[in-house]
Amino acid sequence: MSTTIASTEHDTQGGHGASHDDHPAFLQHHFVNADQQFDAAKMGMWLFLITEILLFSGMFVAYTVYRAWHPEVFLEASTLLDWKLGGLNTLVLLASSLTVALSIHYIQKGNQAALFWNLLITILLACVFLVVKYFEYMAKFEHGIFAGEGFDPHGVSHGVDYAKYNIPYAKQFFSIYFIMTGIHGFHVIVGIILMTWLLVKARLGHFSAAWYTPVELTGLYWHIVDIIWIFLFPLMYLI
Amino acid sequence: MADGHHGHHIVPLKILWGVFGGLIFLTIITVITAKQVDLGPLNLPLALVIAGTKATLVVTFFMALKWDNRVNLLIFSLGFIFVIVFLSFTLFDTSFRGDMSNAEENYISDQERIEQQLLERQERLEQGLPLDVEEEEPADAGHGDDHGDDGH
Amino acid sequence: MSQTASAVHHSPKENYLNHQKTVWSWMSTVDHKRIGVMYLVTLAVMFFIGGMLALLVRLELLTPGVTIMGPDTYNQVFTMHGIVMVFLFLVPSIPAILGNFVLPMHLGAIDVAFPRLNLASYYVYLAGGALVLFGLFAGEIDTGWTFYTPYSSSASSAVLFLTSAVFVAGFSSIFTGINFIVTIHKMRAPGLTWNRLSLFTWSIYATSIVQVLATPVIGITMVLLFFEKMLHIGIFDPALGGDPVLFQHFFWFYSHPAVYIMILPAFGVVSELIAPFCRQPISGYKFVALSSVAIAFLGFLVWGHHMFVSGQSVVSSVIFSLITYFIGIPTGVKVLNWVTTMYKGSIWLKTPFLYALSFLFLFTIGGLTGIMLGVLAIDIHLHDTYFVVSHFHYVMMGGTVVAAIGGLHYWWPKITGKMYDEVSAKIACGLIFVGFNLTFFPQLILGSQGMPRRYHDYVEAFAGLHMASTIGSWVLALGLFVVLGCFVHSLRRGKPAPSNPWGAATLEWTNATSPPSPHNFVTSPIVTHGPYDFDAVEEIFSGDGASGDGSVQMDQPPSVAPSSSAS
Ligand SMILES: [Cu+2]
């Protein structure tokens, strides 16, 4: 009996059951086969995604409550946001969603080069999103539009007199706007980090048609980031 | 446990690009309807319906939920159902606050007074006068002082 | 197999406790059993801290006026007691300790689905705990564990640490929940159908669903509160145009379901305790299993019952009150089935079963007072009184903690490979039961007479009952220390435990040694019977498994069928 334990013991920590013929290198010891491992990882990711949705739901609820209480303030305040930049960012994120889906498509077919290029484009698009967001934020900060106490709109640009937006509850609108887009932006940054890591591993040829779980999971994550923006855009910028 | 036939569906390129086209189209539609077409109170639901459609497209095809395990669909639906629970129960309260006069008579006038105070506060801000925050605080003597300090 | 022959072999030389000995091997372990043990130690420390704070609270209330501390210190002490107990002890408690240790074994799995995430979850919890304790020493947190605005957004800036701490600890909870759900779905041994899952598994499953769905909301609540305090965003603070009742919605959307995060695992433990000591399958297995899931979902629809006096819409209150009654139904189904299981069973009064009986008694009081508080009109009267304090202590301490200690006794031989002293364990159980009731029953009376909670002082008329309550807390503490002593003694002097001292039918007892080998089972079990089919266990052990006398000894775990165990 003790020999049985000893023989199974050495792959406890590493999980790379190299000694087993039927175990591919990526298969962790506590799974029976690659399908079980893949299904488990994917299910775990879906569960994580709904925690993300519920996290954002708190901010959507705050938005909805204050909008229901002060619809005219929210309508007016939202006109200060630049819908053209918001729209541009929507298109950028949608495109990045496409490229990440494409990268999964290609690695499923074993095309490592296409995986690399699509990941790279996704990262670049994500960076474009952040750059646009940066200029949007700066344009607001310039006119004293901050989250919370610092909220003090002033100045005139493009024929808009910011001071006249100094109305009660406009602060709430912009606080929610900054916190929501800020947390969303944080998720974009996390996405960029994850995908850069994927990019390195893809370059090293770690992924194949048989094993691409991290790509798939990061892709799912990225789509959720996109979906949240899909709701943010009309609610904040348009209506 | 291994069912072995799901989870590895390869979404065809045609579908991916088609969905992307649809998403771009819907984005344009949502901008046009919100900016050009005045439907009054219907603008908001319309925008939400379009956003919902876009999200569904992403979930179904980009995230390949259409071909995925049923249990993942269940998980995802659960997430949305509980967002709706959260939203609707909270809104139920906030929209009907003060029904059946459970709030004091002057509840509504209190709200108005606060709003008035806020307006005055903003005015003072604009004119650069010192803020008298104390006055707006609830009767909470012990902590009024550190509140004023926090702002800087 | 004979007694003497098996006595030589029953403790295998190599098990999960001793196969690697360095401190680093513990700190970096991904073995669910070791992580469970690490949680056990850590949570025991947290429980000790929280308990000491509770004793200080009770000591201050021994006599009217200032007994040992002034009102400001008192406010901080009860706040820290609440925060440590709720966020650092009760929420993780049973899932983290017993869930980690037992759940994969109940499933016949080698480990949880994501072992590294499991370890990460432990360290995230530690980080959250460190932040809380830092806040404790940074000082002056007197908001109560509920952090109600507007007070919390204007109180000491140490609140910032606490909101971050709750946020961080929440992630630990989410990771554990995700891990367990996936484990239950994907890691079951061959033959382990959903109808053969142990009720402990079912309750952990329901708990995990709540953890995954509710915890993110406390996360975002804490983020918003953080910004409210840092930037004055005016969402919750009425002075800035915010709505403090909105904060309560956010807070209770998590914190009511969190009550079920704390109590549902206890339901599961109690099912495991009752069945083997009555030698009967749990009656109405499917009802007990599904009622856990029902409670998990219904639990999301009742949060407003904490807000009856907050000024929320009356229609909301009525609806919340009504749904609160509904929650009593699945809970009643459980209690009824546990009692029915005992009926005509061969009751074997061992310590774990005594705890199960205590649980039934105490939880029933806790549950019924809960329904009383769910009644709109009564709650207006009893809101924020000691009646509420007593109610949730009957549920949390009388329910969760008693079940956790009972479960710890039940699984102690499996976890440590040692038996504990039955007599002193029973004495401890008695002390806890008596001490608990002496502490909290007077509080029910105090509350109904109008003694408000969170006050450091009271009128002379309440002095007698308060004194009884404080004396009760000493008896309770004594009982808990006897439990500790009993376990320490067991570790040092305890007799080696047989594989299946209780003749139970779940896999960790029938198919694994005590303590289990590093990979739980020598061969992956193939499940052929339900978790409470004690007649089937009798087959496996050729008769002596189900006799109820604890004499079961195993050479090595029977792998598949009774015949193979003879090898
Ligand atoms: Cu509740």
Side-chain angles (χ1 to χ4, degrees):
Chain A
M1 192 175 84
S2 58
T3 53
T4 326
I5 292 172
S7 71
T8 50
E9 191 197 37
H10 71 273
D11 55 347
T12 311
Q13 298 290 336
H16 301 288
S19 58
H20 305 265
D21 310 326
D22 53 333
H23 279 209
F26 56 80
L27 184 61
Q28 291 178 298
H29 79 284
H30 61 291
F31 290 111
V32 174
N33 57 38
D35 268 342
Q36 188 194 21
Q37 177 170 312
F38 179 77
D39 284 353
K42 206 164 170 184
M43 186 179 175
M45 195 63 200
W46 277 102
L47 284 162
F48 178 70
L49 294 186
I50 64 169
T51 70
E52 291 284 10
I53 292 173
L54 279 146
L55 184 88
F56 277 94
S57 81
M59 289 174 284
F60 278 111
V61 168
Y63 171 89
T64 315
V65 165
Y66 279 95
R67 190 193 163 105
W69 273 336
H70 311 287
E72 62 300 327
V73 179
F74 269 48
L75 267 180
E76 208 179 328
S78 76
T79 57
L80 269 190
L81 296 176
D82 190 338
W83 67 268
K84 283 172 193 147
L85 288 181
L88 173 65
N89 259 349
T90 310
L91 298 182
V92 166
L93 268 196
L94 287 177
S96 74
S97 246
L98 172 72
T99 52
V100 95
L102 286 175
S103 70
I104 295 166
H105 172 92
Y106 284 117
I107 192 60
Q108 282 176 320
K109 288 182 171 169
N111 188 342
Q112 296 192 351
L115 166 72
F116 178 82
W117 287 111
N118 276 295
L119 279 176
L120 188 65
I121 297 169
T122 313
I123 294 171
L124 291 178
L125 287 170
C127 292
V128 170
F129 178 89
L130 286 180
V131 169
V132 173
K133 205 78 223 149
Y134 170 80
F135 283 113
E136 261 193 278
Y137 274 11
M138 283 307 144
K140 294 287 163 291
F141 292 160
E142 212 178 292
H143 291 285
I145 294 182
F146 295 102
E149 210 165 34
F151 182 72
D152 177 28
H154 57 74
V156 178
S157 73
H158 302 289
V160 180
D161 179 11
Y162 279 78
K164 86 180 205 303
Y165 289 91
N166 198 353
I167 42 179
Y169 301 107
K171 184 175 86 171
Q172 268 82 355
F173 175 84
F174 284 104
S175 296
I176 294 172
Y177 164 77
F178 278 116
I179 293 174
M180 254 180 136
T181 53
I183 294 179
H184 179 266
F186 174 76
H187 280 81
V188 173
I189 293 171
V190 171
I192 291 176
I193 294 169
L194 286 174
M195 282 186 290
T196 310
W197 170 68
L198 288 184
L199 197 69
V200 172
K201 292 196 86 172
R203 182 87 255 182
L204 297 173
H206 282 210
F207 302 119
S208 66
W211 187 70
Y212 54 90
T213 313
V215 186
E216 172 101 18
L217 300 190
T218 311
L220 289 176
Y221 168 83
W222 191 251
H223 293 309
I224 280 292
V225 173
D226 186 25
I227 285 176
I228 286 161
W229 184 261
I230 285 176
F231 282 96
L232 268 177
F233 171 57
L235 288 178
M236 289 293 181
Y237 291 82
L238 293 181
I239 46 171
Chain B
M1 292 309 301
D3 301 317
H5 56 79
H6 48 69
H8 295 289
H9 181 89
I10 302 181
V11 187
L13 282 181
K14 214 193 279 178
I15 290 188
L16 292 179
W17 281 99
V19 168
F20 178 62
L23 289 169
I24 300 291
F25 175 72
L26 286 171
T27 307
I28 294 167
I29 292 290
T30 194
V31 171
I32 290 173
T33 51
K35 289 286 159 196
Q36 307 292 329
V37 189
D38 187 13
L39 296 172
L42 286 179
N43 269 92
L44 178 63
L46 179 68
L48 283 176
V49 166
I50 296 174
T53 314
K54 286 164 75 180
T56 314
L57 282 176
V58 172
V59 173
T60 315
F61 299 106
F62 280 0
M63 299 170 89
L65 197 56
K66 186 172 192 284
W67 303 278
D68 208 337
N69 251 334
R70 287 288 133 217
V71 70
N72 290 340
L73 175 63
L74 183 71
I75 292 169
F76 194 67
S77 328
L78 265 185
F80 261 108
I81 289 170
F82 279 88
V83 171
I84 290 167
V85 166
F86 186 19
L87 187 62
S88 53
F89 275 64
T90 307
L91 271 183
F92 198 91
D93 164 39
T94 56
S95 338
F96 297 108
R97 244 352 125 64
D99 55 350
M100 304 177 111
S101 324
N102 67 315
E104 285 177 24
E105 281 286 306
N106 57 1
Y107 178 81
I108 301 300
S109 56
D110 262 357
Q111 289 277 304
E112 281 163 0
R113 185 174 51 78
I114 289 168
E115 197 144 332
Q116 190 56 40
Q117 278 179 356
L118 279 167
L119 276 169
E120 282 165 16
R121 179 178 180 279
Q122 302 294 355
E123 257 170 50
R124 284 201 297 272
L125 260 176
E126 279 165 25
Q127 295 159 13
L129 296 173
L131 285 180
D132 195 6
V133 189
E134 239 67 4
E135 185 183 291
E136 295 164 353
E137 289 266 308
D140 192 2
H143 294 272
D145 45 353
D146 63 32
H147 189 263
D149 299 337
D150 278 351
H152 314 289
Chain C
M1 66 186 76
S2 74
Q3 283 279 94
T4 43
S6 53
V8 184
H9 294 288
H10 61 57
S11 183
K13 284 199 186 70
E14 186 168 58
N15 58 53
Y16 82 101
L17 289 171
N18 67 10
H19 75 116
Q20 286 167 318
K21 291 203 174 61
T22 58
V23 174
W24 177 245
S25 78
W26 277 88
M27 285 170 61
S28 65
T29 185
V30 289
D31 181 351
H32 68 99
K33 299 182 290 300
R34 285 189 160 204
I35 292 173
V37 172
M38 280 168 17
Y39 269 119
L40 172 61
V41 175
T42 319
L43 289 177
V45 172
M46 292 302 173
F47 186 63
F48 178 78
I49 295 172
M52 284 298 141
L53 291 164
L55 285 175
L56 287 177
V57 168
R58 273 324 314 169
L59 192 57
E60 164 54 34
L61 293 171
L62 180 63
T63 57
V66 175
T67 309
I68 55 163
M69 59 180 104
D72 287 338
T73 320
Y74 177 81
N75 290 347
Q76 291 169 27
V77 171
F78 80 69
T79 298
M80 289 317 299
H81 163 68
I83 292 170
V84 170
M85 281 302 199
V86 170
F87 292 110
L88 297 184
F89 177 73
L90 285 165
V91 167
S93 63
I94 297 178
I97 302 169
L98 298 174
N100 258 320
F101 191 91
V102 176
L103 180 79
M105 301 193 80
H106 269 192
L107 299 174
I110 298 173
D111 209 320
V112 292
F114 312 117
R116 274 176 297 181
L117 183 69
N118 203 15
L119 182 66
S121 173
Y122 173 76
Y123 283 111
V124 171
Y125 166 80
L126 270 194
L131 275 172
V132 167
L133 296 181
F134 186 81
L136 171 74
F137 290 114
E140 289 170 24
I141 296 155
D142 53 0
T143 59
W145 75 279
T146 49
F147 303 113
Y148 271 12
T149 49
Y151 182 62
S152 59
S153 53
S154 58
S156 141
S157 55
V159 170
L160 292 176
F161 283 109
L162 269 289
T163 54
S164 332
V166 172
F167 183 80
V168 170
F171 270 98
S172 165
S173 193
I174 289 175
F175 290 157
T176 307
I178 291 177
N179 216 337
F180 285 172
I181 294 179
V182 177
T183 306
I184 294 168
H185 268 272
K186 301 290 180 194
M187 307 297 284
R188 283 171 289 144
L192 190 58
T193 59
W194 286 87
N195 282 329
R196 285 177 179 168
L197 290 183
S198 67
L199 288 168
F200 180 70
T201 307
W202 271 105
S203 70
I204 292 286
Y205 184 62
T207 310
S208 303
I209 294 175
V210 183
Q211 282 179 309
V212 167
L213 289 172
T215 316
V217 175
I218 194 75
I220 193 63
T221 310
M222 290 298 139
V223 169
L224 290 177
L225 182 59
F226 189 92
F227 285 122
E228 184 74 62
K229 196 156 172 44
M230 284 279 288
L231 303 172
H232 304 286
I233 53 176
I235 306 275
F236 297 138
D237 189 346
L240 304 169
D243 181 26
V245 180
L246 188 63
F247 176 82
Q248 296 187 23
H249 280 296
F250 274 61
F251 183 80
W252 290 112
F253 181 85
Y254 167 76
S255 294
H256 183 79
V259 172
Y260 295 106
I261 295 176
M262 304 178 220
I263 193 67
L264 274 172
F267 292 161
V269 170
V270 167
S271 297
E272 296 305 310
L273 299 188
I274 287 185
F277 295 98
C278 297
R279 315 305 305 159
Q280 295 220 88
I282 294 284
S283 82
Y285 166 88
K286 278 189 185 168
F287 289 99
V288 179
L290 293 178
S291 64
S292 294
V293 182
I295 290 172
F297 287 121
L298 275 176
F300 276 95
L301 308 177
V302 300
W303 78 80
H305 64 212
H306 297 270
M307 300 163 59
F308 287 161
V309 300
S310 70
Q312 73 172 343
S313 140
V314 175
V315 180
S316 284
S317 294
V318 171
I319 293 169
F320 279 128
S321 175
L322 185 69
I323 308 175
T324 305
Y325 298 166
F326 289 158
I327 283 236
I329 298 171
T331 318
V333 164
K334 280 180 185 295
V335 174
L336 196 71
N337 278 305
W338 289 325
V339 176
T340 323
T341 307
M342 283 186 256
Y343 180 65
K344 289 194 175 171
S346 320
I347 288 178
W348 188 28
L349 276 179
K350 287 289 203 179
T351 314
F353 188 66
L354 284 184
Y355 278 103
L357 290 178
S358 297
F359 172 92
L360 279 182
F361 186 84
L362 301 175
F363 176 73
T364 305
I365 294 181
L368 289 176
T369 51
I371 293 179
M372 289 157 79
L373 288 169
V375 180
L376 198 39
I378 295 181
D379 184 71
I380 304 291
H381 177 66
L382 293 174
H383 193 88
D384 267 353
T385 66
Y386 261 75
F387 194 88
V388 179
V389 174
S390 180
H391 151 70
F392 66 69
H393 280 91
Y394 263 99
V395 176
M396 296 291 106
M397 173 94 198
T400 307
V401 176
V402 163
I405 298 175
L408 205 52
H409 279 87
Y410 176 66
W411 279 295
W412 186 261
K414 189 54 69 181
I415 295 173
T416 63
K418 301 279 179 61
M419 296 306 287
Y420 50 84
D421 180 47
E422 193 66 36
V423 177
S424 49
K426 278 180 177 157
I427 291 172
C429 180
L431 283 172
I432 289 175
F433 183 78
V434 172
F436 180 88
N437 281 299
L438 189 54
T439 312
F440 291 106
F441 202 83
Q443 295 185 5
L444 283 178
I445 306 169
L446 280 170
S448 62
Q449 290 175 350
M451 170 75 204
R453 69 192 282 200
R454 294 179 172 175
Y455 278 35
H456 97 294
D457 195 5
Y458 48 84
V459 294
E460 203 59 52
F462 294 142
L465 287 169
H466 265 301
M467 182 173 282
S469 180
T470 301
I471 293 170
S473 72
W474 299 335
V475 178
L476 180 54
L478 178 67
L480 290 168
F481 278 114
V482 176
V483 170
L484 180 66
C486 185
F487 282 154
V488 170
H489 178 264
S490 157
L491 283 180
R492 314 188 73 185
R493 301 261 158 78
K495 280 190 295 185
S499 304
N500 192 356
W502 319 120
T506 40
L507 296 171
E508 83 277 28
W509 300 111
T510 58
N511 286 47
T513 51
S514 295
S517 76
H519 282 70
N520 295 352
F521 310 104
V522 174
T523 51
S524 184
I526 295 172
V527 183
T528 54
H529 61 82
Y532 312 111
D533 294 345
F534 297 104
D535 45 345
V537 183
E538 201 156 7
E539 283 167 34
I540 291 173
F541 293 104
S542 334
D544 50 355
S547 56
D549 59 3
S551 67
V552 181
Q553 308 282 340
M554 286 196 297
D555 271 349
Q556 58 188 55
S559 52
V560 185
S563 54
S564 66
S565 68
S567 59

